[in-house]
Structures are given as C-alpha cells and as structure tokens.
Amino acid sequence: PDSINHPPLGEPEAVRRHVSWSVLKEGLQEWRQWAPPVKWHTLAMCFSMFSVSMFSPGVILFVYAPSGKATTVPLFGPSSQYSLSWDLFLAVYDACYSTGDTTSRLLMYP
C-alpha cells in the first residue's frame, strides 16, 4: 500500500566509502572494537558448521547406505576390523546431528 513508508533506497555505507585494501586494513587493526561482541556467535557458528559438515543427513545416509547383505558400517575404512550395525550407526549419527544442531542454536540464539 501507499501508506507504508519505506526507507530511501541508496547504496550501503561500504559502497559509498571507497572500499579498498586500506579500508580493510584499518578495520582489521580495530579488531578490539568488533571482535568481543561477535566472539560467541563466531564460536557457535563454527560448531554449527562443523556439525553440519560431519553429520549432514542429505549426504551421509547415501554414502553409508547398506548394499546387498551388508548390515554393518566399517568405522575406519572398508577393511576396518571395527564396525557398527547399521541401526546403531544411524542412532549414533542422529544423536550427534541433533545434539550439534540443538546446541549450536542454543548458543547462537540465547
């Protein structure tokens, strides 16, 4: 509707300023100002991305899907003497994925 007031469109401050290597260098030298407020968010994001990378359900279930009569998952490569049953593997996998996702969200969004 016409009654909604939108902020004026314009270039962001970073675009209005001449962005260059010197501006980046200045910002990095002022790390004591911007690092403390974002340190916990950064740590939570790292933990979240690690969890997603290690336990992504879209990939891992296809990589380790049992084929034929194989009902175990080798832990340290195809010739590993250590293995888990497929059902136990999925239970451990789901627990790790859920724990990582929940913990990272609790840390990131207190």
Side-chain angles (χ1 to χ4, degrees):
D2 293 331
S3 61
I4 297 177
N5 294 325
H6 295 285
L9 296 176
E11 297 176 327
E13 181 182 350
V15 175
R16 285 193 302 267
R17 291 179 62 188
H18 179 69
V19 178
S20 65
W21 289 108
S22 61
V23 173
L24 176 63
K25 183 179 173 185
E26 289 172 17
L28 291 175
Q29 289 173 340
E30 296 172 1
W31 67 271
R32 286 180 183 89
Q33 289 181 327
W34 57 262
V38 299
K39 67 182 174 188
W40 297 116
H41 296 284
T42 304
L43 183 62
M45 185 62 124
C46 288
F47 184 69
S48 175
M49 290 296 103
F50 173 78
S51 298
V52 168
S53 298
M54 291 301 293
F55 304 108
S56 176
V59 175
I60 201 165
L61 297 179
F62 293 105
V63 172
Y64 291 114
S67 59
K69 295 187 177 200
T71 58
T72 61
V73 177
L75 293 181
F76 304 108
S79 60
S80 174
Q81 63 181 354
Y82 301 104
S83 62
L84 289 176
S85 72
W86 176 250
D87 294 334
L88 181 58
F89 171 75
L90 284 181
V92 170
Y93 160 79
D94 287 338
C96 290
Y97 186 81
S98 297
T99 302
D101 186 53
T102 302
T103 305
S104 67
R105 289 172 192 262
L106 289 174
L107 289 172
M108 191 66 180
Y109 309 110

